[in-house]
Every structure is written in structure tokens, then in C-alpha cells.
Amino acid sequence: SNYDAAIFGAAEFAIAHYAHTLPVPDSAFLRFRGDDAKTLSYLDDLHEYAMISWENEYGNALWAANTALPARDVLGSIPSAVHASNTYGTIDRSDSANADFRGINTTSFGDTTIAKLQVQKNTAVANGGMPNIGATGTTLFSKIQNNVEGYTMITDVKEMYEFGGSYFSIGGIIFGLDQRVSSGCIGLLDSTTWLWVQNDESYTDGLVRDYSRVSTHVMQMTPWVQNICKKPNANVYIESAT
């Protein structure tokens, strides 16, 4: 038998180092310093602000243009992962030998119909995927919603609120409204093929003095995170849809 080195391969992803700083003016800090209960309450508030801020930052990063590839300082976006010709995880997908690692990136989609969306889903299914999450912006969400409204039946009241009340289902794909998806774009994603990697250590040392600011402490946060797609060809990213 012959050994073929080409049958083995691996993608490599850089984990992104996200730094985030919340300033705390001394005028605010001194009001409760020495009172443990108030200090803990204030720190809880700061953590809440951090979560809201990160939700916004990560949400924008996840739907950034396909040039936003995983890097030490860049969170890998969904469009960059579900692409057919860029280099993803050090794998050059423009090389025909790496065709199985290409995402289903459909450009010039044109008029959005249920039948055309089903073709896109079936393409992913043929690759061994099972898209179960759909995401798009307001205009296309409303159009698809109108197309399926006459065929939709709610069997459980709780379903109406599962995704904030703004969702519907087509062929096993639950569509949610995401204002961060670029205009004219639709994502049909297999959630089982995505990884969210994050270090499990504490991401902050609490409040420390920042001598570069005037009379200010800061909460410095430095988590390590990355968004990774294990099987891009099980996912669909549609562009130029109307």
C-alpha cells in the first residue's frame, strides 16, 4: 500500500485577544469605597455594562465583511467562514483540492423565493449538513415572512417568544431577524458545525488605577475568544438577494 500525505490535513485558527476597558471616575468610585455591599453592587453593574458592550461588538464582528478572517485581533465572521475562495483556517479554498472546505457562498441571488431558499438548503444537505438557523435583515426578513405567513401554524404559544417574538420556520430552518446582517444577505446555518471558543479564566482583575487618565480607575477585560466553523460546506451565505 502507498502512503498519501494529502489524505491528512488540519485547519489552524488564531484565538482573538479582545481587550475592553470600562473607565470608573474617582468621583463615582469614592462614593461607595469602604462599603462592601455597595462596591459589589457597583461591580455587578460594570459587568452588566461589559456584557451589553460585548454583545454589540461581537454581534457586529460576526456579520462583518468576508475580509474579516480569524486572527489574533479579529473575530472570524460568518461571511468569511461561509465563503468559496478565501483562505480560511490556513486552508486556501481557491485551490480545487480544498473544494470540500468551501462554504456555499451564493452571489447574485436575485428575487428571494421559498423555492430558491429550499434549493440552497438542499445543497447544504447534500454536503451532509442540516441548516437549522436562518438570519437576515429587516427587508428580506419581512419579505420571506410574508411569503410563508399563509402556511405558518403556531402549535405552542411558547414558540412565539422563543426568539423574541420575531421568528418563523421554513423546512426546519428557524429564521430570526438580525439587523447586523448586511442588506441583501441571508445566512442559512447549521448550528452543529460552529464553535465558540473562549478561555475559562477570569477575564478581569477588577478595578485598577489608570494613570493615563485624570482621577480614574478602570476595569480592564482581556478575554480570548474565536468563532470557528468546522464544516463550511454545510452552511449557506446568500448575497445580492432582493
Side-chain angles (χ1 to χ4, degrees):
S1 62
N2 295 320
Y3 170 77
D4 183 1
I7 67 174
F8 295 99
E12 296 180 5
F13 297 90
I15 304 301
H17 189 194
Y18 266 70
H20 195 62
T21 301
L22 289 178
V24 182
D26 285 356
S27 57
F29 183 60
L30 292 174
R31 286 185 301 159
F32 55 79
R33 188 168 60 180
D35 188 320
D36 291 344
K38 290 184 178 179
T39 299
L40 290 174
S41 176
Y42 190 75
L43 289 176
D44 286 341
D45 288 343
L46 288 180
H47 282 282
E48 182 68 20
Y49 299 152
M51 295 303 103
I52 294 173
S53 180
W54 269 336
E55 188 278 332
N56 181 62
E57 186 170 356
Y58 289 160
N60 289 327
L62 285 175
W63 291 106
N66 60 39
T67 53
L69 295 164
R72 184 67 174 268
D73 58 349
V74 177
L75 190 68
S77 72
I78 291 171
S80 70
V82 190
H83 201 266
S85 61
N86 62 9
T87 296
Y88 185 66
T90 69
I91 295 178
D92 181 5
R93 294 189 285 196
S94 64
D95 186 339
S96 59
N98 297 322
D100 286 343
F101 205 59
R102 292 172 180 169
I104 305 170
N105 183 207
T106 304
T107 59
S108 303
F109 188 69
D111 186 40
T112 301
T113 65
I114 303 304
K116 290 171 71 175
L117 289 175
Q118 289 284 44
V119 170
Q120 296 296 304
K121 173 197 170 182
N122 292 339
T123 303
V125 171
N127 290 339
M130 185 58 69
N132 59 343
I133 295 177
T136 191
T138 305
T139 300
L140 288 176
F141 182 88
S142 300
K143 182 173 184 177
I144 302 170
Q145 187 179 42
N146 288 334
N147 287 339
V148 303
E149 192 170 20
Y151 307 96
T152 301
M153 180 181 296
I154 297 295
T155 58
D156 188 340
V157 175
K158 290 187 296 184
E159 293 180 3
M160 297 176 62
Y161 304 99
E162 185 174 358
F163 285 82
S166 295
Y167 88 101
F168 54 86
S169 178
I170 304 175
I173 301 178
I174 298 176
F175 271 81
L177 173 60
D178 193 330
Q179 76 279 11
R180 297 186 177 95
V181 181
S182 297
S183 176
C185 295
I186 305 170
L188 306 179
L189 310 177
D190 183 338
S191 63
T192 65
T193 66
W194 295 86
L195 292 175
W196 179 263
V197 181
Q198 182 170 327
N199 63 318
D200 57 3
E201 299 176 359
S202 175
Y203 56 83
T204 180
D205 294 325
L207 294 178
V208 296
R209 170 70 69 184
D210 184 351
Y211 292 100
S212 67
R213 303 170 186 259
V214 178
S215 299
T216 301
H217 282 71
V218 295
M219 177 181 282
Q220 183 69 46
M221 290 155 291
T222 55
W224 294 82
V225 298
Q226 193 52 270
N227 177 54
I228 297 171
C229 185
K230 301 181 293 181
K231 188 174 172 57
N233 68 352
N235 297 270
V236 178
Y237 188 67
I238 297 168
E239 299 180 68
S240 300
T242 58

